[in-house]
Protein backbone atom coordinates (compact mmCIF):
# COMPACT_ATOMS: atom_id res chain seq x y z
CA UNK A 1 0.00 0.00 0.00
CA UNK A 2 1.42 3.39 -1.02
CA UNK A 3 1.77 6.40 1.26
CA UNK A 4 -0.85 8.22 -0.80
CA UNK A 5 -3.29 5.33 -0.31
CA UNK A 6 -2.63 5.31 3.42
CA UNK A 7 -3.16 9.07 3.60
CA UNK A 8 -6.44 8.76 1.72
CA UNK A 9 -7.68 6.04 4.04
CA UNK A 10 -6.79 8.13 7.08
CA UNK A 11 -8.84 11.07 5.84
CA UNK A 12 -12.40 11.20 7.28
CA UNK A 13 -15.54 10.48 5.31
CA UNK A 14 -18.67 12.63 5.50
CA UNK A 15 -20.69 9.90 7.22
CA UNK A 16 -17.99 9.27 9.80
CA UNK A 17 -17.39 12.98 10.34
CA UNK A 18 -20.90 14.17 11.16
CA UNK A 19 -21.60 13.96 14.93
CA UNK A 20 -24.68 12.17 16.35
CA UNK A 21 -28.00 14.04 16.33
CA UNK A 22 -28.05 14.12 20.14
CA UNK A 23 -24.72 15.99 20.22
CA UNK A 24 -25.97 18.38 17.55
CA UNK A 25 -29.12 19.08 19.56
CA UNK A 26 -27.21 19.70 22.79
CA UNK A 27 -24.78 22.11 21.12
CA UNK A 28 -27.66 23.87 19.34
CA UNK A 29 -29.52 24.37 22.64
CA UNK A 30 -26.38 25.76 24.26
CA UNK A 31 -26.14 28.12 21.27
CA UNK A 32 -29.76 29.18 21.87
CA UNK A 33 -28.88 30.02 25.49
CA UNK A 34 -25.71 31.84 24.48
CA UNK A 35 -27.49 33.81 21.76
CA UNK A 36 -30.28 34.80 24.12
CA UNK A 37 -27.69 36.02 26.62
CA UNK A 38 -25.62 37.78 23.96
CA UNK A 39 -28.70 39.66 22.72
CA UNK A 40 -29.41 41.15 26.17
CA UNK A 41 -27.14 43.83 27.70
CA UNK A 42 -25.66 42.77 31.02
CA UNK A 43 -25.70 39.03 30.36
CA UNK A 44 -22.72 37.39 28.68
CA UNK A 45 -22.82 34.49 26.26
CA UNK A 46 -19.31 33.66 27.42
CA UNK A 47 -20.68 33.10 30.92
CA UNK A 48 -23.28 30.68 29.52
CA UNK A 49 -20.48 28.83 27.69
CA UNK A 50 -18.58 28.62 30.97
CA UNK A 51 -21.64 27.29 32.79
CA UNK A 52 -22.34 24.74 30.05
CA UNK A 53 -18.75 23.50 30.19
CA UNK A 54 -17.87 24.37 26.57
CA UNK A 55 -15.85 27.55 27.10
CA UNK A 56 -12.47 25.88 26.62
CA UNK A 57 -13.69 24.11 23.50
CA UNK A 58 -15.12 27.39 22.14
CA UNK A 59 -11.82 29.24 22.60
CA UNK A 60 -9.88 26.30 21.10
CA UNK A 61 -12.17 26.37 18.05
CA UNK A 62 -11.75 30.11 17.53
CA UNK A 63 -7.96 29.99 17.86
CA UNK A 64 -7.82 26.98 15.52
CA UNK A 65 -9.34 29.01 12.69
CA UNK A 66 -6.31 30.56 11.00
CA UNK A 67 -5.83 32.15 7.55
CA UNK A 68 -3.77 29.14 6.41
CA UNK A 69 -6.50 26.70 7.35
CA UNK A 70 -9.15 28.83 5.64
CA UNK A 71 -7.09 28.91 2.43
CA UNK A 72 -6.41 25.16 2.58
CA UNK A 73 -10.10 24.44 3.21
CA UNK A 74 -11.23 26.52 0.24
CA UNK A 75 -8.47 25.05 -1.97
CA UNK A 76 -9.68 21.54 -1.12
CA UNK A 77 -13.16 22.43 -2.41
CA UNK A 78 -12.03 24.18 -5.59
CA UNK A 79 -10.65 22.59 -8.78
CA UNK A 80 -7.15 23.98 -8.29
CA UNK A 81 -3.74 22.45 -7.53
CA UNK A 82 -4.55 18.82 -6.57
CA UNK A 83 -8.23 19.20 -7.50
CA UNK A 84 -11.35 18.88 -5.36
CA UNK A 85 -10.92 16.72 -2.26
CA UNK A 86 -13.92 16.55 0.04
CA UNK A 87 -12.03 14.30 2.44
CA UNK A 88 -9.17 16.78 2.74
CA UNK A 89 -11.70 19.56 3.36
CA UNK A 90 -13.39 17.42 6.03
CA UNK A 91 -10.04 16.81 7.72
CA UNK A 92 -9.47 20.56 8.01
CA UNK A 93 -13.11 21.03 9.09
CA UNK A 94 -12.56 18.57 11.93
CA UNK A 95 -9.28 20.24 12.91
CA UNK A 96 -11.18 23.46 13.63
CA UNK A 97 -14.07 21.57 15.28
CA UNK A 98 -16.35 22.79 12.50
CA UNK A 99 -19.46 20.72 13.29
CA UNK A 100 -19.45 22.01 16.86
CA UNK A 101 -19.03 25.59 15.66
CA UNK A 102 -21.76 25.23 13.04
CA UNK A 103 -24.36 23.87 15.48
CA UNK A 104 -23.42 26.52 18.05
CA UNK A 105 -23.58 29.35 15.50
CA UNK A 106 -27.01 28.26 14.21
CA UNK A 107 -28.32 28.24 17.78
CA UNK A 108 -26.81 31.66 18.54
CA UNK A 109 -28.18 33.28 15.37
CA UNK A 110 -31.64 31.76 15.91
CA UNK A 111 -31.82 33.15 19.44
CA UNK A 112 -30.45 36.56 18.42
CA UNK A 113 -33.12 36.92 15.73
CA UNK A 114 -35.92 36.00 18.16
CA UNK A 115 -34.68 38.15 21.05
CA UNK A 116 -33.94 41.21 18.91
CA UNK A 117 -37.48 41.02 17.50
CA UNK A 118 -38.84 41.09 21.06
CA UNK A 119 -36.52 44.01 21.89
CA UNK A 120 -37.65 45.86 18.76
CA UNK A 121 -41.31 45.54 19.75
CA UNK A 122 -40.61 46.47 23.38
CA UNK A 123 -38.50 49.51 22.43
CA UNK A 124 -41.45 50.91 20.50
CA UNK A 125 -44.22 50.05 22.94
CA UNK A 126 -42.64 50.10 26.42
CA UNK A 127 -39.16 51.69 26.29
CA UNK A 128 -39.27 52.56 30.00
CA UNK A 129 -39.78 48.94 31.06
CA UNK A 130 -37.28 47.61 28.52
CA UNK A 131 -34.42 49.90 29.50
CA UNK A 132 -35.31 49.66 33.18
CA UNK A 133 -34.94 45.89 32.86
CA UNK A 134 -31.60 46.40 31.13
CA UNK A 135 -30.47 48.78 33.89
CA UNK A 136 -31.12 46.06 36.47
CA UNK A 137 -29.20 43.52 34.41
CA UNK A 138 -26.23 45.83 33.97
CA UNK A 139 -26.20 46.92 37.62
CA UNK A 140 -26.14 43.37 39.00
CA UNK A 141 -23.64 42.32 36.34
CA UNK A 142 -21.37 45.12 37.60
CA UNK A 143 -21.86 44.00 41.21
CA UNK A 144 -21.02 40.38 40.36
CA UNK A 145 -17.90 41.38 38.47
CA UNK A 146 -16.74 43.86 41.10
CA UNK A 147 -17.19 41.17 43.74
CA UNK A 148 -14.70 38.97 41.92
CA UNK A 149 -12.25 41.73 41.00
CA UNK A 150 -9.22 42.40 43.18
CA UNK A 151 -6.75 45.18 42.44
CA UNK A 152 -3.11 45.06 43.48
CA UNK A 153 -1.63 48.25 42.00
CA UNK A 154 -2.44 51.87 41.19
CA UNK A 155 -2.18 51.08 37.46
CA UNK A 156 -4.94 48.50 37.75
CA UNK A 157 -7.15 50.98 39.62
CA UNK A 158 -6.51 53.66 37.00
CA UNK A 159 -7.44 51.17 34.25
CA UNK A 160 -10.78 50.63 35.96
CA UNK A 161 -11.40 54.37 36.28
CA UNK A 162 -10.55 54.89 32.59
CA UNK A 163 -13.09 52.20 31.69
CA UNK A 164 -15.79 53.86 33.80
CA UNK A 165 -15.14 57.34 32.36
CA UNK A 166 -14.93 56.10 28.76
CA UNK A 167 -18.20 54.15 28.97
CA UNK A 168 -19.97 56.98 30.79
CA UNK A 169 -18.98 59.51 28.12
CA UNK A 170 -19.86 57.24 25.19
CA UNK A 171 -23.19 56.29 26.78
CA UNK A 172 -24.30 59.91 26.63
CA UNK A 173 -25.20 61.91 23.53
CA UNK A 174 -22.15 61.71 21.23
CA UNK A 175 -22.41 63.35 17.82
CA UNK A 176 -20.20 60.99 15.81
CA UNK A 177 -22.02 57.94 17.25
CA UNK A 178 -25.40 59.39 16.29
CA UNK A 179 -24.35 59.52 12.62
CA UNK A 180 -24.37 55.73 12.40
CA UNK A 181 -22.49 55.23 9.11
CA UNK A 182 -21.49 51.80 7.85
CA UNK A 183 -17.97 52.23 9.22
CA UNK A 184 -19.39 52.67 12.72
CA UNK A 185 -21.62 49.63 12.20
CA UNK A 186 -18.57 47.61 11.14
CA UNK A 187 -16.60 48.73 14.21
CA UNK A 188 -19.59 48.08 16.49
CA UNK A 189 -19.90 44.56 15.09
CA UNK A 190 -16.18 43.91 15.58
CA UNK A 191 -16.21 45.15 19.18
CA UNK A 192 -19.56 43.66 20.17
CA UNK A 193 -19.03 40.16 18.79
CA UNK A 194 -15.45 39.90 20.05
CA UNK A 195 -16.65 40.73 23.58
CA UNK A 196 -19.34 38.07 23.48
CA UNK A 197 -16.84 35.29 24.16
CA UNK A 198 -15.61 36.88 27.40
CA UNK A 199 -17.39 35.56 30.50
CA UNK A 200 -19.01 38.40 32.42
CA UNK A 201 -18.64 40.98 29.62
CA UNK A 202 -21.72 41.47 27.45
CA UNK A 203 -21.23 42.23 23.78
CA UNK A 204 -24.70 43.79 23.62
CA UNK A 205 -23.72 46.06 26.49
CA UNK A 206 -20.88 47.44 24.38
CA UNK A 207 -23.39 48.05 21.58
CA UNK A 208 -25.49 50.01 24.10
CA UNK A 209 -22.41 52.07 25.02
CA UNK A 210 -21.77 52.75 21.32
CA UNK A 211 -25.41 53.74 20.83
CA UNK A 212 -26.00 50.95 18.29
CA UNK A 213 -27.97 48.37 20.28
CA UNK A 214 -31.50 49.66 19.60
CA UNK A 215 -30.61 50.50 16.01
CA UNK A 216 -29.26 47.04 15.25
CA UNK A 217 -32.24 45.36 16.96
CA UNK A 218 -34.64 47.42 14.85
CA UNK A 219 -32.64 46.96 11.65
CA UNK A 220 -32.41 43.18 12.04
CA UNK A 221 -36.14 42.93 12.76
CA UNK A 222 -36.99 45.14 9.77
CA UNK A 223 -34.62 43.14 7.55
CA UNK A 224 -36.40 39.89 8.44
CA UNK A 225 -39.80 41.52 7.84
CA UNK A 226 -38.78 42.97 4.48
CA UNK A 227 -37.14 39.69 3.46
CA UNK A 228 -40.34 37.76 4.21
CA UNK A 229 -42.40 40.41 2.43
CA UNK A 230 -40.21 40.17 -0.68
CA UNK A 231 -41.07 36.47 -0.97
CA UNK A 232 -44.72 37.44 -1.49
CA UNK A 233 -43.92 40.19 -4.00
CA UNK A 234 -42.87 43.00 -1.68
CA UNK A 235 -40.27 45.62 -2.71
CA UNK A 236 -36.58 44.74 -2.66
CA UNK A 237 -35.35 48.20 -1.66
CA UNK A 238 -35.92 47.69 2.11
CA UNK A 239 -34.21 44.29 1.89
CA UNK A 240 -31.12 45.83 0.30
CA UNK A 241 -31.09 48.85 2.62
CA UNK A 242 -31.45 46.88 5.86
CA UNK A 243 -29.44 43.93 4.55
CA UNK A 244 -26.45 46.17 3.85
CA UNK A 245 -26.37 47.23 7.51
CA UNK A 246 -26.84 43.66 8.79
CA UNK A 247 -24.14 42.23 6.51
CA UNK A 248 -21.73 45.05 7.44
CA UNK A 249 -22.30 44.28 11.13
CA UNK A 250 -21.77 40.54 10.57
CA UNK A 251 -18.56 41.09 8.58
CA UNK A 252 -17.32 43.36 11.34
CA UNK A 253 -18.24 40.69 13.86
CA UNK A 254 -16.25 38.02 12.02
CA UNK A 255 -13.25 40.32 11.72
CA UNK A 256 -13.50 41.20 15.41
CA UNK A 257 -13.89 37.60 16.46
CA UNK A 258 -10.56 36.66 14.89
CA UNK A 259 -8.66 39.91 15.54
CA UNK A 260 -9.91 42.03 18.45
CA UNK A 261 -10.73 38.96 20.52
CA UNK A 262 -7.12 37.82 20.11
CA UNK A 263 -5.87 41.28 21.13
CA UNK A 264 -8.02 41.12 24.26
CA UNK A 265 -6.70 37.65 25.02
CA UNK A 266 -3.11 38.89 24.70
CA UNK A 267 -3.91 41.86 26.94
CA UNK A 268 -5.33 39.45 29.50
CA UNK A 269 -2.19 37.33 29.30
CA UNK A 270 0.06 40.38 29.66
CA UNK A 271 -1.76 42.16 32.49
CA UNK A 272 -4.88 40.24 33.43
CA UNK A 273 -6.04 42.34 36.39
CA UNK A 274 -5.60 45.70 34.64
CA UNK A 275 -7.44 44.47 31.54
CA UNK A 276 -10.30 43.05 33.58
CA UNK A 277 -10.44 46.24 35.66
CA UNK A 278 -10.88 48.22 32.42
CA UNK A 279 -13.58 45.86 31.12
CA UNK A 280 -15.45 45.88 34.43
CA UNK A 281 -15.16 49.67 34.43
CA UNK A 282 -16.97 49.70 31.08
CA UNK A 283 -19.87 47.81 32.67
CA UNK A 284 -20.11 50.30 35.55
CA UNK A 285 -19.94 53.34 33.28
CA UNK A 286 -22.57 51.84 30.97
CA UNK A 287 -25.24 52.29 33.65
CA UNK A 288 -25.78 55.74 32.16
CA UNK A 289 -26.96 54.30 28.83
CA UNK A 290 -30.43 52.96 29.83
CA UNK A 291 -31.15 56.14 31.79
CA UNK A 292 -30.11 58.22 28.80
CA UNK A 293 -32.35 56.19 26.48
CA UNK A 294 -35.46 56.63 28.65
CA UNK A 295 -34.68 60.31 29.19
CA UNK A 296 -34.44 60.85 25.43
CA UNK A 297 -37.47 58.70 24.55
CA UNK A 298 -40.11 59.66 27.12
CA UNK A 299 -38.48 61.86 29.77
CA UNK A 300 -38.46 61.11 33.48
CA UNK A 301 -41.56 61.78 35.55
CA UNK A 302 -42.53 60.22 38.87
CA UNK A 303 -44.54 57.49 37.13
CA UNK A 304 -41.76 56.81 34.62
CA UNK A 305 -39.16 56.64 37.38
CA UNK A 306 -41.28 54.17 39.38
CA UNK A 307 -41.85 51.97 36.31
CA UNK A 308 -38.15 52.15 35.45
CA UNK A 309 -37.17 51.19 39.01
CA UNK A 310 -39.65 48.30 39.08
CA UNK A 311 -38.35 46.89 35.79
CA UNK A 312 -34.78 47.32 37.07
CA UNK A 313 -35.63 45.21 40.13
CA UNK A 314 -37.02 42.48 37.87
CA UNK A 315 -33.84 42.53 35.77
CA UNK A 316 -31.67 42.45 38.88
CA UNK A 317 -33.56 39.50 40.38
CA UNK A 318 -33.39 37.62 37.08
CA UNK A 319 -29.62 37.94 36.89
CA UNK A 320 -29.19 37.13 40.59
CA UNK A 321 -31.12 33.89 40.05
CA UNK A 322 -28.91 33.07 37.05
CA UNK A 323 -25.81 33.82 39.11
CA UNK A 324 -27.12 31.66 41.96
CA UNK A 325 -27.37 28.60 39.72
CA UNK A 326 -24.25 29.40 37.73
CA UNK A 327 -20.71 28.32 38.41
CA UNK A 328 -18.58 30.73 40.42
CA UNK A 329 -17.06 33.20 38.00
CA UNK A 330 -13.31 33.37 38.52
CA UNK A 331 -11.90 36.31 36.55
CA UNK A 332 -8.38 34.95 36.91
CA UNK A 333 -9.41 31.89 34.86
CA UNK A 334 -10.69 33.91 31.89
Amino acid sequence: MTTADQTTEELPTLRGSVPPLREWARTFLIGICMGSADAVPGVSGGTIALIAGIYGRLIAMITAITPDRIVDFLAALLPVDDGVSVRRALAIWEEIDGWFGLALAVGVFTAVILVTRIVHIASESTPTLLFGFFFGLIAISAVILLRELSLESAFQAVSGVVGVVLAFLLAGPVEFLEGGGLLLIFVAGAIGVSAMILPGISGSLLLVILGQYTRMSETLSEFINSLLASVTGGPLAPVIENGTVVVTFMVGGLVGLFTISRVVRRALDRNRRATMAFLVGLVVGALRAPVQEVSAEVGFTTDVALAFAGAAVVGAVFLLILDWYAVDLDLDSI
Side-chain angles (χ1 to χ4, degrees):
M1 184 180 296
T2 65
T3 304
D5 293 333
Q6 290 175 337
T7 303
T8 302
E9 288 185 1
E10 291 172 358
L11 292 176
T13 61
L14 182 59
R15 178 177 295 181
S17 175
V18 177
L21 180 60
R22 184 174 180 178
E23 183 178 341
W24 270 76
R26 178 181 180 275
T27 306
F28 174 78
L29 289 175
I30 293 174
I32 289 285
C33 295
M34 287 182 62
S36 300
D38 283 331
V40 177
V43 185
S44 169
T47 299
I48 302 299
L50 195 65
I51 294 169
I54 66 163
Y55 185 71
R57 187 177 181 183
L58 174 63
I59 297 301
M61 180 198 71
I62 293 172
T63 54
I65 301 176
T66 62
D68 289 341
R69 281 198 170 111
I70 293 174
V71 170
D72 290 343
F73 178 77
L74 294 176
L77 295 176
L78 296 174
V80 294
D81 296 333
D82 298 330
V84 176
S85 175
V86 175
R87 287 192 170 190
R88 186 154 49 90
L90 282 173
I92 299 170
W93 183 253
E94 288 190 349
E95 286 178 5
I96 64 172
D97 209 358
W99 296 117
F100 165 77
L102 179 62
L104 197 68
V106 171
V108 168
F109 285 130
T110 300
V112 167
I113 290 172
L114 294 175
V115 173
T116 52
R117 180 171 289 272
I118 294 172
V119 168
H120 173 57
I121 295 171
S123 66
E124 292 184 337
S125 58
T126 58
T128 301
L129 297 181
L130 174 68
F131 288 104
F133 181 75
F134 286 168
F135 183 90
L137 291 176
I138 297 168
I140 296 302
S141 178
V143 170
I144 292 171
L145 289 169
L146 287 170
R147 184 184 64 193
E148 301 296 333
L149 184 66
S150 59
L151 303 178
E152 298 178 343
S153 69
F155 177 73
Q156 294 167 7
V158 170
S159 297
V161 172
V162 170
V164 173
V165 173
L166 180 63
F168 185 84
L169 293 176
L170 291 177
V174 181
E175 186 175 351
F176 79 89
L177 292 180
E178 294 173 355
L182 290 180
L183 178 59
L184 176 59
I185 295 299
F186 178 87
V187 173
I191 294 174
V193 173
S194 63
M196 288 178 178
I197 63 171
L198 288 174
I201 307 299
S202 169
S204 291
L205 175 60
L206 297 185
L207 295 183
V208 170
I209 294 173
L210 293 172
Q212 302 303 309
Y213 178 77
T214 303
R215 179 189 179 185
M216 287 311 304
S217 298
E218 293 174 352
T219 302
L220 180 58
S221 183
E222 291 171 0
F223 172 67
I224 298 298
N225 289 339
S226 60
L227 189 63
L228 293 175
S230 68
V231 176
T232 57
L236 288 176
V239 179
I240 297 173
E241 180 181 355
N242 294 314
T244 301
V245 176
V246 172
V247 170
T248 300
F249 182 86
M250 291 178 64
V251 172
L254 288 174
V255 171
L257 190 62
F258 301 115
T259 55
I260 295 179
S261 62
R262 283 178 163 83
V263 172
V264 174
R265 298 294 304 180
R266 288 180 182 177
L268 286 168
D269 291 338
R270 186 168 183 176
N271 196 327
R272 184 176 302 274
R273 293 184 186 276
T275 304
M276 286 308 304
F278 175 77
L279 294 174
V280 174
L282 291 179
V283 178
V284 176
L287 284 168
R288 180 185 181 184
V291 178
Q292 178 67 32
E293 288 284 349
V294 173
S295 179
E297 290 287 334
V298 298
F300 271 100
T301 63
T302 302
D303 291 341
V304 170
L306 289 174
F308 184 90
V313 170
V314 173
V317 170
F318 170 79
L319 194 54
L320 283 172
I321 292 173
L322 178 62
D323 181 60
W324 177 268
Y325 287 102
V327 296
D328 290 332
L329 180 60
D330 180 8
L331 296 186
D332 287 336
S333 68
I334 296 175

